[in-house]
Amino acid sequence: MRIGHGYDVHALREGLPMWLGGIRIDSEKGFVAHSDGDVAIHALCDALLGALALGDIGAHFPDTDERWKGIDSKKLLAAVMEKVRDAGYELGNADITIALQAPKLRGRIDEMRRTLAGVMAADPGRVSVKASTTERLGFVGRGEGCEVWASVLLLKSKPTTE
Ligand code: MG
């Protein structure tokens, strides 16, 4: 078994589309980013890479590379899962916590779980997404950004030469 943890923050700006947990969220603000800014997927990717000591998402998909400009982060997650499987591991489970003041995400959580599980070719029962506000405290509470933490457990699925 391998355990991994990921963390990411993106700033919010009015007039940008909000992609979060692999789905489009109806919001007046979206994330400032080189990619589509899906901060939940970025934290999840870092947790998966971290579990295998493979560095971080910035090392694999640098924001200076035009190939990743505006990219759908689900493609990054799929690529990271391929690395996980190449290393001989499968997803045990993932647990993601999103801190966002607005909009409320409660009604969209299951859609995020199903979408992320689909990209990872995993059972949605293995993917948890939770959302919280910060009671208007800090940069999240002021609506300036979104903060996400992700934890994953990977299970060895096949022997490797490593
Ligand atoms: Mg990011």
Side-chain angles (χ1 to χ4, degrees):
M1 283 187 280
R2 306 288 296 240
I3 192 166
H5 177 254
Y7 170 76
D8 199 20
V9 170
H10 276 270
L12 284 160
R13 187 186 294 158
E14 272 175 43
L16 294 174
M18 180 184 284
W19 285 94
L20 191 58
I23 64 174
R24 178 72 190 268
I25 303 290
D26 208 17
S27 170
E28 286 169 11
K29 295 178 183 176
F31 299 117
V32 179
H34 185 70
S35 66
D36 66 5
D38 193 324
V39 56
I41 287 186
H42 298 173
L44 178 56
C45 285
D46 265 2
L48 292 164
L49 292 168
L52 296 174
L54 289 175
D56 61 30
I57 192 174
H60 292 271
F61 311 103
D63 63 7
T64 49
D65 192 327
E66 283 301 303
R67 275 182 298 168
W68 317 126
K69 192 167 167 54
I71 194 172
D72 178 346
S73 292
K74 292 191 284 294
K75 290 182 182 164
L76 305 182
L77 177 58
V80 167
M81 268 314 286
E82 208 175 302
K83 293 178 195 296
V84 168
R85 294 207 168 94
D86 285 349
Y89 285 85
E90 284 293 330
L91 182 73
N93 71 298
D95 188 18
I96 299 164
T97 301
I98 301 169
L100 182 69
Q101 190 61 43
K104 290 276 188 285
L105 300 173
R106 190 174 299 272
R108 307 296 304 279
I109 292 291
D110 282 341
E111 197 181 341
M112 288 187 195
R113 291 178 55 218
R114 284 197 305 273
T115 300
L116 296 175
V119 174
M120 291 191 286
D123 188 302
R126 293 180 182 270
V127 181
S128 160
V129 177
K130 311 188 299 295
S132 178
T133 70
T134 61
E135 301 290 345
R136 305 205 168 276
L137 294 169
F139 71 88
V140 171
R142 291 190 296 272
E144 295 168 6
C146 177
E147 201 169 20
V148 180
W149 298 262
S151 301
V152 302
L153 190 71
L154 300 182
L155 305 173
K156 193 89 175 178
S157 59
K158 62 173 190 250
T160 54
T161 51
E162 188 192 344

